[in-house]
Amino acid sequence: MRARHVNLLITLIAVVLFSFSCFCISRMTQTNNQLTNCRNHILEFKESILRLKNKTERNRQELLSAFKEMKLDFTKKKRDAQNTVEKKVNASDTNERVFDAFEVLKFFFPHLRKVDRIYPDVIMGRGKTGVTFALGISTVNRGNYSYLKQTLTSVLSRMTLPEEKDSVVIVSIADSNENYVKSVVDMITKKFKRQVTSGSLEVISIPAYFYPNISHAARSTDNSEKLERWRIKQVLDFCFLMLYAQPKAMYYLQLEDDILANKMYLTKITDFVHSITSNNWLYIEFSVLGFIGKLFKSEDLTDFVRFFLMFYKDKPVDLLLGDIFLVKMCTPGEALEKCIERNKHILIRYKPSLFQHVGIQSSYPGREQYFKEI
């Protein structure tokens, strides 16, 4: 009996232990599952944090890039605005200098004092300034003859590209004939489009109101009144062209519309000017013919124009050029003959000539000329 009780007790204890073991195993399995789930949640959270961090970094980079673009855009707009203002100021300054250059005409011609702004009709031009050389070519209608295309081809084709960039050729149409003006413009537009586009070639027209009444200006008994008026007008044409060119360049080279330029002429002029040790020169002759190939310092042009306008009724422009040389170079009390002889040795002249006159038909109607450079 006692043995049976002991067996029941052992069986009971075994059942209890087994139940407790099952309970513990169940709890451990449940806890393990919870831990696994918790770990999975933690991993998912970590991945979410990483995704959020990466997204935040991308947003930050995009934001920085946007700010950078905004800053660059703002800087560019500011710089463009400053450049625009500077260009407007520079253009305004240039125009003022050009307008001021023509004010000297009002002193000599009372009829111009009623004109607010004296300025040529700029037919083609980009307002090129700040260059070394301005080359002036005055042209008029010669009837069935025209040498202008040949002259411009020679002058422009015999420049190097850097020389062309540092120069401006100015064609001044000193003729009121509308058909002639149109023919010149059409020819230049077709033949020299590149130079016009770059600003290296300009075309202006002298307004009719500029000229004074010269119908009674002739004084010579040796020439007809018509020839005398032609000479007077030629002096005035050159004066107007010189005043227009003066603010544009350091040097002004006077040419005519019926010449040919030698090869490398502008390079030779530059080298020759740089070889002169003194800057105290009045003008330099690169041709002895008339008014062709005369080089002036632009700062002196107004003085030359004033002198020409004082005596424009009396002599052709090339003779007036010789007179101003004597006025400037002769010493007080020196005999005129002695001064002339002395100045033959101090006149700066480049040899051989860099320009050759080719026109036979003169700009004076019906007159022919055959003089050539020797």
Side-chain angles (χ1 to χ4, degrees), residues 177-194:
N177 186 306
E178 293 183 1
N179 290 331
Y180 178 70
V181 173
K182 184 178 184 303
S183 69
V184 171
V185 172
D186 289 345
M187 180 273 290
I188 291 178
T189 302
K190 294 176 183 177
K191 179 67 178 178
F192 306 102
K193 182 178 180 181
R194 180 180 62 80

Side-chain angles (χ1 to χ4, degrees), residues 148-327:
L148 181 60
K149 180 179 178 180
Q150 183 182 16
T151 294
L152 285 176
T153 300
S154 171
V155 169
L156 291 168
S157 66
R158 290 173 178 174
M159 288 182 183
T160 64
L161 287 178
E163 287 171 346
E164 182 183 310
K165 186 177 180 180
D166 195 29
S167 305
V168 56
V169 177
I170 306 164
V171 176
S172 176
I173 304 176
D175 200 300
S176 59
N177 186 306
E178 293 183 1
N179 290 331
Y180 178 70
V181 173
K182 184 178 184 303
S183 69
V184 171
V185 172
D186 289 345
M187 180 273 290
I188 291 178
T189 302
K190 294 176 183 177
K191 179 67 178 178
F192 306 102
K193 182 178 180 181
R194 180 180 62 80
Q195 289 85 351
V196 171
T197 302
S198 69
S200 296
L201 178 58
E202 296 187 6
V203 181
I204 66 172
S205 178
I206 300 179
Y209 67 75
F210 160 65
Y211 299 100
N213 185 359
I214 57 177
S215 58
H216 304 292
R219 301 189 206 174
S220 173
T221 58
D222 298 327
N223 299 292
S224 68
E225 184 176 333
K226 186 177 180 180
L227 177 60
E228 198 69 10
R229 287 201 302 269
W230 171 77
R231 287 177 174 172
I232 289 172
K233 179 181 177 298
Q234 190 178 59
V235 178
L236 298 178
D237 293 342
F238 286 132
C239 288
F240 198 95
L241 177 54
M242 294 170 95
L243 290 177
Y244 176 77
Q246 194 245 359
K248 290 179 169 292
M250 184 182 301
Y251 301 105
Y252 174 75
L253 180 65
Q254 181 64 61
L255 301 175
E256 294 187 11
D257 63 347
D258 56 351
I259 58 98
L260 291 180
N262 286 5
K263 293 180 180 179
M264 302 288 289
Y265 73 95
L266 205 52
T267 301
K268 294 174 182 177
I269 290 175
T270 302
D271 292 342
F272 187 73
V273 171
H274 289 165
S275 71
I276 301 175
T277 55
S278 173
N279 195 42
N280 191 28
W281 50 270
L282 192 60
Y283 64 90
I284 302 174
E285 289 190 342
F286 291 94
S287 171
V288 297
L289 296 177
F291 207 44
I292 299 170
K294 304 303 185 284
L295 183 74
F296 305 87
K297 288 174 282 190
S298 292
E299 61 187 21
D300 296 336
L301 285 179
T302 303
D303 290 337
F304 279 97
V305 169
R306 286 194 181 103
F307 188 87
F308 295 153
L309 292 179
M310 281 192 288
F311 304 104
Y312 74 96
K313 297 178 183 179
D314 302 308
K315 292 183 179 181
V317 68
D318 54 323
L319 297 184
L320 290 177
L321 188 62
D323 289 342
I324 194 173
F325 188 85
L326 294 178
V327 170

Side-chain angles (χ1 to χ4, degrees), residues 352-367:
S353 173
L354 295 180
F355 305 96
Q356 181 58 259
H357 184 268
V358 294
I360 295 176
Q361 181 62 46
S362 169
S363 57
Y364 179 72
R367 182 182 180 184

Side-chain angles (χ1 to χ4, degrees), residues 40 42 71-72 83 88 120 170 231 241 289 303 333-334 374:
N40 291 336
I42 291 173
K71 184 178 179 180
L72 290 174
N83 291 338
K88 288 181 179 178
I170 306 164
R231 287 177 174 172
L241 177 54
L289 296 177
D303 290 337
E334 183 180 16
I374 300 175

